[in-house]
Amino acid sequence: MPKQTKRTVTAVLAALIFVMHLALPAVGAAQTGRIAFLPFKANAPQDMSYLTNGIRDMLASRIASEIGLTVIDKTVVDKALAGAGTPNQTEAFLKLAKTLQADFLVVGSLTAMGSSLSLDAKVFEVAKGAPRNFYATAKNESEIIQSIDSLAWDISEKVFAHKRPASALAQPQAAAQSGAQAQPQYATAHPDRAFAGRTGMGGGSPFIYPKGITSEFQKTQNMKLSLQFMEMADLDGDGQDEVIFADNDSVQIFKRDSNRLSKVGQIRGKVGYRIHAITVADLNKNGKPEIYVSAADNKQPNSFAFEWLGADKANYIFENARWYVRAMSVPGEGLVLAGQRADSDKAVAPGIFRLDLANGALKAGSSMEVPASVNLFEFTIADLDNDGSREIVAIDQYDRLQVLRAGGTVLWKSDEFYGGTTRFIGGTEGFGAGKASSQEGSERIYIPSRIIVYDVNGDGQMDVIINKNLSTSSRLFENMKNYPSGEIHALSWNGIALSELWRTRKIDGYIVDYLLRPNADKKGAELLVGLILGSSSMDLFAEQTSTMLIYQLDFTKKTEQ
């Protein structure tokens, strides 16, 4: 963005905020308390202070004008914040609020994903302690004012029981159908021109196509969650799939309403064992999917599986299994539970087996027909060329994608890097205590994201969907993994190599995992991408900020000429 344009935006914004403050009701006996707004944090690759400063001021003006609160001067807030360091826990925020003599404290963030924006806010009520979470999205900067309005009204209603007027209930969809742009419903001055002149943040379709589909995407709210793996399944039989996230030491379950996630349950793993993968399947054929959790410390696995019973309750299928486990699909066979053991001096022992369950314990069955060089989480099996024989699509520890025969013959190996992950097993002594060095103990084995096989271009042959996390240094340094951005690629087997069908535009953040959910008519699908934002993914034991992107794919779109 040109410097002059940014200065103009900032100047206009400042003038409009001044006008809004003049329009506020006089402060008097009708005050209901004092409220402090902390600076909004930006999760974006570029400087967005011109937006975050304005959002902070406008949200303060809107809430104060409707509720009659006293807004604590932001210079006072910033000074107190500087003295408090960087609060990141509820107790620290409440302490800061008391220092400011505030009854309410608002903290928030603005996240940019391509041209889309999301606003996340927490409101701390000092008398009650625990914060309340609020969220709004905008497809682009021209809609940010409506998003601020929506956020402000949600806070007004849910925290202060201040009902929004009927004029603020206009349906955006109806407005879009009529061709009219939805207008903010607050009485304060309309500052939309403060954002005029700031053009696109990536703009256009989030996909790049030699062939393929055009699409927009949505984003869920940001969550304090160190995402490790994700799944979806109808766990409670209500006909709607739950979203399942694994963090370092627990499995968290969410109900989904469009792009909003609400946490409904959490099952914790065993202390000292870090979760590196989850899979879902109904292998006992009782109509209720089981969640298979693969976890390990630096020496050996300790995995478990359970059926979710609601809230924080589980019916365990097995526990304390000394196997790395994975439920997977095998062509001609269906879903099976596969496993691999640790060796005495290595993170993994040779051999991948089908696992049988008897009396709550796992035992090895027949071996899987995969090359000895491939570990449990590094491959999928598919017939890529419809010749009746299976190919192994695998990614190695050097992030090279391969197509192999079951006997180990390499049919093709990529020149480019794919995958890219921070998850690993093995490594240092004291792993569970938070050490990240691998100077002692077994060698680290990195656990890649899934390799999806699905016919995405409708030609009757299976294609491959895989991530490509972008980082030169992470490929040069063995145990320093950090991925600030990435892409999702769809690849098609042409008989001699996997060639690109389409890919997403660059996504800012570390792509942790992704799912493809075909529509009932098979003419389209949702591509769900689990992402860690902004923070260093090398800090394995710090709580991170995660979110999920939702792409709508249309498989019926013809090849672009």
Side-chain angles (χ1 to χ4, degrees):
M1 180 180 183
K3 291 183 179 179
Q4 184 61 41
T5 304
K6 186 175 289 188
R7 282 196 295 268
T8 302
V9 168
T10 305
V12 174
L13 181 56
L16 287 167
I17 296 300
F18 176 73
V19 171
M20 285 193 292
H21 279 289
L22 293 179
L24 297 180
V27 176
Q31 294 178 23
T32 58
R34 288 164 55 86
I35 187 167
F37 290 81
L38 269 59
F40 268 57
K41 176 185 175 184
N43 298 309
Q46 67 270 56
D47 179 19
M48 298 192 71
S49 57
Y50 72 100
L51 272 177
T52 54
N53 292 339
I55 290 166
R56 179 189 187 185
D57 289 338
M58 284 186 286
L59 193 61
S61 297
R62 279 154 160 68
I63 292 176
S65 67
E66 289 295 324
I67 310 302
L69 296 168
T70 297
V71 177
I72 300 172
D73 187 272
K74 64 182 182 181
T75 58
V76 175
V77 174
D78 291 349
K79 183 177 180 180
L81 181 61
T86 307
N88 54 24
Q89 300 293 333
T90 295
E91 294 76 14
F93 285 117
L94 292 175
K95 183 178 179 181
L96 177 61
K98 291 175 182 177
T99 299
L100 291 164
Q101 298 182 346
D103 300 291
F104 304 92
L105 183 76
V106 180
V107 301
S109 64
L110 172 71
T111 302
M113 301 299 305
S115 61
S116 299
L117 301 166
S118 72
L119 287 168
D120 294 83
K122 290 180 182 289
V123 179
F124 293 84
E125 188 172 356
V126 175
K128 295 183 178 179
R132 302 187 70 169
N133 298 307
F134 298 90
Y135 173 65
T137 60
K139 289 182 179 179
N140 49 55
E141 289 185 25
S142 65
E143 296 186 4
I144 193 69
I145 307 302
Q146 294 99 299
S147 298
I148 296 170
D149 280 336
S150 175
L151 193 67
W153 277 122
D154 284 347
I155 293 170
S156 297
E157 282 192 321
K158 295 176 183 177
V159 177
F160 303 104
H162 186 81
K163 187 173 179 62
R164 73 182 76 193
S167 60
L169 298 174
Q171 297 297 318
Q173 193 171 23
Q177 290 172 350
S178 67
Q181 184 175 357
Q183 296 297 318
Q185 299 298 326
Y186 274 86
T188 51
H190 192 299
D192 56 350
R193 285 185 297 276
F195 299 99
R198 171 65 173 172
T199 56
M201 295 169 46
S205 168
F207 287 86
I208 297 172
Y209 304 93
K211 304 176 181 178
I213 316 131
T214 57
S215 175
E216 294 294 336
F217 69 85
Q218 292 181 300
K219 173 189 166 298
T220 67
Q221 74 271 28
N222 295 345
M223 293 164 283
K224 283 296 182 183
L225 176 76
S226 297
L227 184 63
Q228 298 297 311
F229 234 79
M230 59 188 282
E231 274 288 1
M232 284 186 72
D234 182 5
L235 300 177
D236 57 9
D238 66 352
Q240 300 293 323
D241 285 350
E242 279 73 41
V243 177
I244 308 160
F245 288 157
D247 65 7
N248 295 327
D249 56 9
S250 70
V251 176
Q252 301 187 26
I253 299 162
F254 296 81
K255 289 288 186 182
R256 178 185 165 198
D257 181 8
S258 184
N259 64 334
R260 183 73 185 177
L261 300 178
S262 301
K263 186 176 175 180
V264 293
Q266 182 172 4
I267 305 300
R268 295 196 175 277
K270 189 172 181 179
V271 175
Y273 292 89
R274 182 181 173 88
I275 296 172
H276 52 261
I278 57 170
T279 45
V280 177
D282 180 16
L283 297 180
N284 60 10
K285 308 297 184 184
N286 68 348
K288 190 176 180 66
E290 308 96 50
I291 300 176
Y292 293 86
V293 183
S294 194
D297 62 9
N298 65 296
K299 294 181 179 179
Q300 61 185 346
N302 192 308
S303 299
F304 61 98
F306 64 91
E307 293 176 347
W308 183 57
L309 302 179
D312 300 340
K313 298 179 182 178
N315 174 36
Y316 287 92
I317 309 300
F318 61 81
E319 295 181 83
N320 302 316
R322 296 306 187 189
W323 290 89
Y324 305 109
V325 297
R326 174 191 175 193
M328 62 177 295
S329 179
V330 178
E333 204 173 329
L335 288 167
V336 302
L337 183 62
Q340 188 169 19
R341 286 191 180 276
D343 215 336
S344 58
D345 60 346
K346 296 180 181 179
V348 295
I352 300 171
F353 299 89
R354 295 169 180 83
L355 298 180
D356 300 319
L357 178 65
N359 300 320
L362 297 177
K363 63 178 182 178
S366 59
S367 61
M368 302 284 291
E369 298 79 11
V370 297
S373 60
V374 174
N375 293 323
L376 178 63
F377 300 101
E378 297 175 347
F379 74 98
T380 193
I381 304 173
D383 182 359
L384 294 179
D385 50 13
N386 283 343
D387 66 353
S389 63
R390 301 173 181 176
E391 283 76 45
I392 310 296
V393 184
I395 188 162
D396 64 20
Q397 289 291 300
Y398 303 98
D399 292 344
R400 303 292 189 180
L401 189 61
Q402 303 177 77
V403 178
L404 310 97
R405 294 292 187 199
T409 303
V410 178
L411 301 177
W412 172 81
K413 186 173 183 177
S414 69
D415 293 323
E416 296 183 58
F417 294 113
Y418 289 92
T421 178
T422 66
R423 293 178 297 265
F424 64 88
I425 54 179
T428 181
E429 296 286 344
F431 176 83
K435 297 180 182 178
S437 169
S438 63
Q439 294 176 354
E440 300 177 10
S442 60
E443 179 185 4
R444 285 183 182 180
I445 300 295
Y446 283 89
I447 306 297
S449 298
R450 69 191 70 230
I451 301 170
I452 298 173
V453 291
Y454 192 82
D455 181 9
V456 299
N457 62 353
D459 65 354
Q461 292 188 191
M462 289 297 176
D463 305 305
V464 173
I465 296 176
I466 190 168
N467 67 321
K468 178 187 280 190
N469 279 318
L470 306 174
S471 173
T472 301
S473 62
S474 293
R475 268 88 190 196
L476 293 176
F477 300 103
E478 182 179 356
N479 291 325
M480 294 179 62
K481 305 294 186 182
N482 182 41
Y483 299 98
S485 61
E487 303 163 345
I488 303 291
H489 287 235
L491 309 171
S492 179
W493 181 248
N494 61 18
I496 59 173
L498 286 170
S499 58
E500 183 178 300
L501 287 174
W502 50 256
R503 56 188 162 99
T504 63
R505 296 188 184 276
K506 188 176 74 170
I507 299 169
D508 295 311
Y510 161 47
I511 297 172
V512 179
D513 199 14
Y514 40 92
L515 299 168
L516 187 73
R517 309 292 293 179
N519 298 341
D521 60 7
K522 307 295 184 181
K523 294 180 179 179
E526 282 188 329
L527 177 65
L528 309 172
V529 180
L531 199 67
I532 289 179
L533 299 170
S535 61
S536 172
S537 50
M538 290 189 293
D539 191 354
L540 300 172
F541 301 95
E543 189 175 43
Q544 297 164 318
T545 300
S546 301
T547 191
M548 185 173 76
L549 308 185
I550 306 162
Y551 294 85
Q552 299 295 333
L553 308 183
D554 180 5
F555 296 156
T556 65
K557 185 173 179 62
K558 303 299 182 183
T559 299
E560 296 181 359
Q561 301 298 322

